[in-house]
Amino acid sequence: LKLFGRLLFCAWAVDRGQAGELKGKEKSTDRRNLWLSKEGLILEDSPAAKNTPPGDLQKRMRAWQEKKEKLSNTNFFVNPLRLSVRNVAKDTSEADLKRIFAKAAMDHQEKAGGGPAVKVRSSRLVSDKERIDPVTGKGESKGYGFVEFSTTDHALAALRVLNNCPKAAKQNGGKRLMIDFSVEDARIVRQRRIKADRLAR
C-alpha cells in the first residue's frame, strides 16, 4: 500500500491489553532479540531528526545500514544487555561512561516508581593502540565503546534517556551520544565461551 509514493506499513489496531500480550509473545519467540534492533534509531524524516546535527545523522544512517546488513545473516543477534555507544568525547573515561549510564537508568526507574537495583556490569571504550596518551600511557579512545547492564529494562531505560540527548551531551564534551543495542556474532560468542571453559578447567 502506498500513499503519495511512500510505502505504508499497516497492522490491525488493538487495545493496550492486547498490545501487551502481543509484545510478550513476540519477545518469547524472538531468540535473536530483533524487537530491540530499532531502539535508538533516528530516521532522517523523523521528528527526532529535526534538531540532530547533520553529521550525526549521517553517522546514524551508516550505522543503521550496517546493522541491517548484519542482521540479514541469522548468525547475528541483538545482545539485550549490551549497549553500543558512539560519539563519545575523547576525554570521557570508562568510569565517566559507567556513571552517566547508571544515573540515567536510576533516574528513569525512580520516576517510574522504583524497582530492582540498577547494576552496570561493565563499561569499555575501544582504544587506539597506535596512539598512546603520554599522560596515562594508554591508547587514546576511538570515540566508541560498550556499556553492559544486568537487565534489559535498565539498558533500555538508559538508551531512551541518553540517546541524542542535548542535556547528556553536556557531560560528554558537548557531543550527543549515539546509542543502540549491540549486534553480535553468535559464532564468535560461542568460541569465546569454549575458550573460557577450557581456561577454567
Side-chain angles (χ1 to χ4, degrees), residues 5-192:
R6 297 174 67 90
L7 186 64
L8 300 180
F9 294 89
C10 304
W12 290 107
V14 295
D15 60 31
R16 184 174 295 180
Q18 290 174 309
E21 291 177 9
L22 290 172
K23 191 172 183 179
K25 289 179 181 178
E26 180 183 10
K27 291 181 184 179
S28 64
T29 58
D30 181 10
R31 294 183 178 181
R32 295 172 62 207
N33 305 308
L34 298 181
W35 66 281
L36 292 169
S37 64
K38 290 186 178 180
E39 285 292 341
L41 173 64
I42 296 178
L43 297 174
E44 293 175 306
D45 57 352
S46 67
K50 185 177 180 180
N51 296 314
T52 301
D56 287 3
L57 201 54
Q58 290 175 6
K59 291 178 185 177
R60 287 177 178 278
M61 290 300 97
R62 286 197 297 270
W64 172 237
Q65 292 303 322
E66 290 172 5
K67 175 181 269 191
K68 284 200 299 182
E69 186 174 343
K70 284 183 178 180
L71 291 176
S72 66
N73 182 330
T74 55
N75 286 308
F76 287 85
F77 70 99
V78 178
N79 187 326
L81 303 175
R82 196 172 190 228
L83 297 174
S84 171
V85 188
R86 293 183 296 279
N87 223 27
V88 180
K90 295 290 184 180
D91 59 350
T92 297
S93 67
E94 291 179 340
D96 292 333
L97 207 62
K98 184 174 183 178
R99 174 181 53 78
I100 292 169
F101 276 74
K103 187 177 186 307
M106 287 188 287
D107 288 349
H108 180 275
Q109 184 168 267
E110 187 177 334
K111 289 179 181 178
V118 173
K119 182 179 179 181
V120 177
R121 287 179 175 174
S122 65
S123 62
R124 182 175 70 87
L125 288 170
V126 178
S127 59
D128 189 337
K129 296 180 180 179
E130 295 182 358
R131 293 186 176 183
I132 306 301
D133 187 321
V135 177
T136 63
K138 298 180 180 179
E140 292 184 359
S141 169
K142 287 189 174 183
Y144 69 93
F146 303 91
V147 177
E148 185 169 333
F149 283 84
S150 59
T151 72
T152 301
D153 286 344
H154 292 157
L156 188 56
L159 182 157
R160 290 178 175 175
V161 170
L162 298 171
N163 184 47
N164 198 43
C165 177
K167 290 183 179 179
K170 294 178 181 179
Q171 305 175 67
N172 184 51
K175 303 177 72 173
R176 296 191 187 189
L177 293 171
M178 301 180 190
I179 310 167
D180 60 357
F181 280 89
S182 175
V183 173
E184 301 178 13
D185 189 332
R187 295 165 296 185
I188 294 176
V189 173
R190 193 178 304 114
Q191 289 172 359
R192 287 175 181 167

